[in-house]
Amino acid sequence: MVVKDFFPHEEFREQQEYVLDKIQEGLDRGKINFIIQAPTGSGKTALSIAIARYFKSAYICTNQKSLQKQYIEDYPQYANEVTGRGNWTCKALQEMGEKKEDGSGYPCSEGLCKLSVDEEEDEESENKKHKMIEKFEVIPECDRKPVKCDLGYEEQGKDNQSSHFAGFSSSRGSLCWKTKGHEKCEYYVQKMKGLNSPITIFNYNYFLIESNYVGDFGEREVLIADEGHNIEFQIANFIKFTFSNRNLNFLPGSNFPDLGDIELTMKEKLEVYAFWLENIKKTIPEEIAKEVINLEKLNYPEKELHRIVKIIRNKVDSRIEDLIDVLKERIKEKRSNEDNISSLVARSQKDRSEKPKYEARLRVERLNKLVNLHGKIARFLLEYWKNPSKWIMEIKEKGKEKDKEIESVNFKPIFINEYAESKFFRFGKIRVILSATILDCSYFAGNMGLNPEDTVFIPIPPTFPPENHGVYHLSIGKLNFENLVLNNDRILWGNLVVAVDVILSMFPKYKGIIHTSNSDISKYLKSYCKEGHSRLLTHNQQNRLEVLNHHLESPEPTVLCTPSMTEGVDLADDSSRFQILIKVPFPDISDLYISTRKDKDKFFYKYKTAISVCQSIGRSIRSEEDWAYTFTLDSRFPKYISDHRSLINESVSFYEKRILDFPSEKSIQKLKKEIFRNLPF
Ligand code: SF4
């Protein structure tokens, strides 16, 4: 049997058969990485399913919920998806009658089994957890979740109940249900299904956390990365480390290094902070030992204390018991072990009998934070020392002038090529990456750390007719930061409104999208365009999805006016017949990562911009029959396009006799004439 025998439909599109043949050829030659440049409409989902079925044990990662859904809706017989805890309601808390302020149930990410406060927590969720912890005398164990099981695969498979074993990918022993019949945790039910499914669908973020930290999902035969141009961003985000003042201040002497006005290079600054973290890491075992001694004094249950010490021995320091003995001697001599927690307990309003329990809870919480912080520092230092010159750090401050203090420090790798294998690709023996915007294969493979010798690049030529996607340019001026923000050029802002008004007036009955690049432009257009309030839909981070759904469902000719829908939004057919790209979407060089990367890798900036252009203009043309008009307004567009034409989608017809001066009356009339002639009203 060959890969194409597993295609999930009776017939192939021509390009699909071509791709599957190329993959087969590559496999026969011992290749392990396949990069498929698959334009919109090339049937990527069916290709992924064919490859996954051939290998019988596969992960498929996407970065969009809609794409995840598409896999499950189109191929429910082959694949199961697994989603993070935030998508499920905690049944244990629900049964206890615990509800959020708005009346909804708590998600599993804030479930009973997640009540211990960890060092990563933000202040708001830490406070929420504190309130919840206060309610319980002892936090009850939840029996709705499965437990790690020592039985081997075959042993567990004997009773033929597939939900009892994780047959396809368990790296740390299997999970099995402790109790039958009792209502099971929905989060774990779907996770168990995912473990037992030969094809499991994830989003990147959750997959990276689950596979690297939780460890229930181990290596499979194939790892398929859909929308693969996002892998770099996802891995960089996963590897970044943030240490905040609030997370550290429970540790004595952990203040951020005060560099005053000393001018240091990035490399020097990083070194200072790395040594500072090394020192903090060294102090943590002693703090942990102190808390264990405190818990002993509070008569904390012996069995539980043993369990905690065992975890510390494995995770922090194998000599923790010796350290505890040494400290006990030292404390005897000093005869005092007062700290913040004891004074907090002394000041609390609780009556005498409750105070020891309250103190024990606070101390267990602190232990948790110490263990997590130790692990996080160790992980960061391990990655950092491998290649110190390839990291950047950003310091976030709060307060004004004299009262300024460091709020947090953020460490991020500039390149992920050295991490991609260990954090992501190792979960598939064969790796298949699909995307419409892998615009330069060897550049992409280099960024991913993929060996060219092991890699096959399979480009699929675009099939959409260029005449369905014409791009017009209305040059209204250079729409850069300097002109729009620093000089606040009123004429330019005025021209922008006139241009958008003209385009809106050409499509009175059609929906469309305006890619604004930033929310200030969105707000300005909403306020000053003639149809701003009646047709333009703006949004914020919270209501983005709601506004998008309103646009898709409304019978009115609404127009999305947005800086953040350049990707992952499907505006097929009548949901968008025209689109406006206001600015050339150059990445923001005020971002330290972007500017450092640009300095070290000249091609990066051009490449990133080209991806944004391709993604933006691809929102409104989703099939061979689909059509839409695109307008660009920034005077830098024509040069950018002609300089980078080789990177940008061939099925888009750019500026053929369509570069117009603006806003002269003559040019507006010329444009209207051409649009009206072609528009199928
Ligand atoms: S395992 Fe139990 S406590 Fe944890 S989220 Fe599920 S239902 Fe809630």
Side-chain angles (χ1 to χ4, degrees):
M1 296 277 259
V2 291
V3 187
K4 69 181 179 189
D5 294 333
F6 292 85
F7 193 69
H9 302 286
E10 299 262 299
E11 284 176 22
F12 302 100
R13 284 182 214 161
E14 202 181 311
Q15 321 98 300
Q16 288 171 324
E17 190 168 14
Y18 166 78
V19 171
L20 295 176
D21 284 340
K22 284 278 167 204
I23 290 179
Q24 191 65 55
E25 233 176 85
L27 289 171
D28 294 344
R29 285 187 291 132
K31 304 288 178 186
I32 56 167
N33 306 315
F34 297 86
I35 301 176
I36 305 168
Q37 189 188 39
T40 310
S42 53
K44 279 186 294 160
T45 324
L47 284 173
S48 300
I49 292 290
I51 300 162
R53 287 182 67 209
Y54 172 75
F55 283 102
K56 296 189 175 59
S57 125
Y59 296 121
I60 300 178
C61 290
T62 75
N63 74 327
Q64 297 164 37
K65 276 194 177 151
S66 56
L67 203 51
Q68 247 173 296
K69 261 212 176 79
Q70 193 189 329
Y71 275 107
I72 299 303
E73 281 171 12
D74 293 354
Y75 304 104
Q77 69 277 42
Y78 300 128
N80 276 291
E81 72 173 330
V82 180
T83 58
R85 287 174 166 268
N87 299 290
W88 304 91
T89 302
C90 173
K91 292 261 166 106
L93 287 176
Q94 199 175 41
E95 198 169 83
M96 289 173 186
E98 296 294 341
K99 284 183 193 150
K100 290 174 124 183
E101 274 166 23
D102 64 4
S104 63
Y106 282 92
C108 290
S109 50
E110 294 171 37
L112 193 63
C113 58
K114 297 291 283 178
L115 275 185
S116 64
V117 177
D118 74 39
E119 179 271 328
E120 304 272 358
E121 221 92 60
D122 63 30
E123 196 162 3
E124 198 190 332
S125 59
E126 184 170 327
N127 288 341
K128 269 198 281 179
K129 284 189 178 179
H130 269 293
K131 273 190 205 156
M132 188 70 83
I133 290 169
E134 286 281 299
K135 289 186 187 175
F136 299 112
E137 193 72 352
V138 178
I139 296 174
E141 267 280 304
C142 177
D143 58 359
R144 288 174 168 81
K145 63 178 178 183
V147 290
K148 293 269 180 241
C149 181
D150 294 333
L151 292 179
Y153 172 93
E154 281 176 27
E155 187 65 24
Q156 289 183 45
K158 272 183 189 162
D159 64 0
N160 226 4
Q161 294 186 41
S162 62
S163 66
H164 277 216
F165 66 96
F168 289 95
S169 61
S170 183
S171 60
R172 289 201 326 197
S174 309
L175 287 175
C176 49
W177 293 109
K178 207 159 84 180
T179 44
K180 288 181 190 172
H182 194 64
E183 204 181 353
K184 293 165 180 164
C185 171
E186 286 177 354
Y187 162 72
Y188 280 106
V189 168
Q190 56 104 38
K191 184 171 164 178
M192 291 289 271
K193 267 193 200 155
L195 278 162
N196 290 304
S197 169
I199 304 175
T200 311
I201 319 274
F202 283 92
N203 73 42
Y204 284 106
N205 184 32
Y206 179 56
F207 180 73
L208 286 164
I209 295 171
E210 182 64 48
S211 55
N212 284 283
Y213 293 153
V214 185
D216 292 326
F217 290 90
E219 184 192 65
R220 287 194 179 183
E221 291 302 313
V222 65
L223 170 64
I224 298 171
D226 201 346
E227 295 291 312
H229 61 279
N230 285 300
I231 301 173
E232 185 173 2
F233 171 79
Q234 296 288 348
I235 295 179
N237 240 7
F238 177 68
I239 305 174
K240 85 170 182 221
F241 291 85
T242 302
F243 295 94
S244 75
N245 203 358
R246 207 184 55 74
N247 295 153
L248 289 165
N249 63 12
F250 68 97
L251 197 63
S254 64
N255 296 344
F256 286 110
D258 182 7
L259 300 177
D261 296 329
I262 311 167
E263 286 277 322
L264 294 177
T265 62
M266 176 59 73
K267 194 168 169 260
E268 290 163 340
K269 257 198 258 178
L270 275 160
E271 233 169 70
V272 171
Y273 274 79
F275 281 117
W276 166 71
L277 283 168
E278 288 279 11
N279 280 333
I280 290 184
K281 190 175 140 236
K282 278 185 205 148
T283 66
I284 292 177
E286 188 169 324
E287 289 299 312
I288 288 178
K290 276 187 204 162
E291 289 305 1
V292 173
I293 296 169
N294 283 326
L295 283 170
E296 263 178 17
K297 279 195 208 156
L298 290 164
N299 294 327
Y300 198 72
E302 209 174 313
K303 201 173 147 202
E304 185 56 13
L305 206 55
H306 271 132
R307 193 183 68 84
I308 291 175
V309 171
K310 196 174 153 196
I311 293 172
I312 297 166
R313 202 191 305 133
N314 291 336
K315 283 193 168 181
V316 180
D317 194 329
S318 56
R319 298 154 308 169
I320 194 72
E321 276 119 328
D322 297 342
L323 190 56
I324 292 171
D325 290 341
V326 172
L327 269 182
K328 273 182 186 166
E329 286 304 311
R330 221 190 286 162
I331 290 166
K332 242 191 245 165
E333 284 160 24
K334 281 195 184 169
R335 290 212 180 105
S336 113
N337 192 20
E338 283 295 310
D339 63 6
N340 284 349
I341 290 184
S342 26
S343 47
L344 194 74
V345 175
R347 285 201 313 272
S348 80
Q349 301 299 314
K350 299 193 179 291
D351 66 40
R352 265 178 87 95
S353 64
E354 274 192 16
K355 287 197 177 190
K357 274 183 202 155
Y358 177 52
E359 182 172 345
R361 266 203 306 257
L362 295 179
R363 295 208 177 277
V364 171
E365 242 181 76
R366 184 162 186 267
L367 258 180
N368 230 337
K369 281 183 166 189
L370 287 163
V371 172
N372 285 332
L373 180 62
H374 185 276
K376 186 170 161 185
I377 296 177
R379 282 198 308 276
F380 165 66
L381 292 171
L382 184 76
E383 303 296 359
Y384 169 75
W385 288 121
K386 277 185 203 162
N387 218 330
S389 62
K390 292 196 178 157
W391 285 76
I392 50 167
M393 60 172 273
E394 283 177 291
I395 297 178
K396 203 171 151 199
E397 293 179 315
K398 67 173 181 188
K400 282 184 190 155
E401 314 246 308
K402 265 191 185 170
D403 303 325
K404 250 189 192 170
E405 57 172 303
I406 297 178
E407 194 178 9
S408 62
V409 182
N410 198 347
F411 300 90
K412 197 173 179 180
I414 307 167
F415 299 96
I416 57 106
N417 52 342
E418 284 169 29
Y419 306 102
E421 178 65 31
S422 61
K423 304 292 175 205
F424 184 64
F425 289 124
R426 76 177 163 101
F427 293 100
K429 288 180 192 157
I430 301 290
R431 308 77 182 270
V432 179
I433 301 157
L434 301 105
S435 168
T437 45
I438 292 172
L439 307 177
D440 182 315
C441 177
S442 50
Y443 179 71
F444 177 83
N447 281 339
M448 294 297 111
L450 298 174
N451 182 354
E453 306 268 291
D454 297 331
T455 306
V456 178
F457 178 44
I458 310 172
I460 309 180
T463 54
F464 294 178
E467 59 274 19
N468 284 2
H469 197 175
V471 183
Y472 292 75
H473 181 64
L474 282 72
S475 196
I476 64 165
K478 194 172 177 182
L479 295 168
N480 60 0
F481 180 75
E482 194 183 344
N483 290 341
L484 288 175
V485 181
L486 297 181
N487 300 337
N488 193 16
D489 184 335
R490 307 310 302 173
I491 297 176
L492 202 54
W493 280 103
N495 281 350
L496 177 58
V497 170
V498 174
V500 173
D501 275 342
V502 167
I503 297 166
L504 288 175
S505 72
M506 288 178 205
F507 301 90
K509 296 181 196 159
Y510 287 101
K511 287 176 180 286
I513 181 167
I514 307 174
H515 296 290
T516 57
S517 294
N518 68 56
S519 53
D520 287 341
I521 297 181
S522 302
K523 282 182 208 151
Y524 195 86
L525 294 175
K526 173 101 183 153
S527 304
Y528 294 104
C529 283
K530 284 183 195 145
E531 296 180 277
H533 289 287
S534 56
R535 289 180 73 189
L536 299 193
L537 302 178
T538 53
H539 63 85
N540 53 33
Q541 267 182 349
Q542 285 73 40
N543 66 359
R544 179 180 176 275
L545 200 61
E546 202 182 306
V547 170
L548 174 63
N549 287 336
H550 170 66
H551 172 77
L552 295 173
E553 284 156 20
S554 163
E556 301 301 320
T558 49
V559 179
L560 291 161
C561 186
T562 166
S564 60
M565 292 193 193
T566 52
E567 279 198 43
V569 173
D570 189 346
L571 300 175
D573 304 323
D574 283 343
S575 56
S576 179
R577 288 305 188 187
F578 70 97
Q579 51 190 1
I580 306 173
L581 273 67
I582 305 268
K583 294 171 63 175
V584 180
F586 292 119
D588 177 8
I589 46 165
S590 66
D591 181 311
L592 181 66
Y593 168 75
I594 300 286
S595 59
T596 317
R597 180 73 189 265
K598 189 178 171 222
D599 287 346
K600 294 191 183 261
D601 167 11
K602 299 280 175 247
F603 190 56
F604 165 78
Y605 198 64
K606 297 172 188 172
Y607 187 76
K608 270 273 169 210
T609 311
I611 288 183
S612 293
V613 171
C614 293
Q615 288 287 348
S616 306
I617 57 183
R619 289 313 95 209
S620 302
I621 302 266
R622 312 300 296 168
S623 65
E624 281 181 27
E625 297 74 39
D626 203 355
W627 59 268
Y629 288 88
T630 296
F631 300 88
T632 58
L633 305 184
D634 188 336
S635 61
R636 296 171 295 175
F637 257 116
K639 177 160 175 20
Y640 177 81
I641 298 295
S642 82
D643 288 352
H644 302 92
R645 195 64 184 94
S646 61
L647 286 176
I648 293 171
N649 195 338
E650 292 158 32
S651 71
V652 180
S653 147
F654 271 97
Y655 305 149
E656 286 166 9
K657 296 182 217 153
R658 288 161 167 153
I659 300 186
L660 304 166
D661 295 328
F662 199 82
S664 80
E665 193 50 38
K666 204 173 143 204
S667 63
I668 293 174
Q669 290 312 327
K670 190 177 162 197
L671 177 68
K672 279 187 174 172
K673 237 190 229 169
E674 181 166 349
I675 301 278
F676 278 114
R677 199 172 46 238
N678 295 327
L679 212 57
F681 282 114

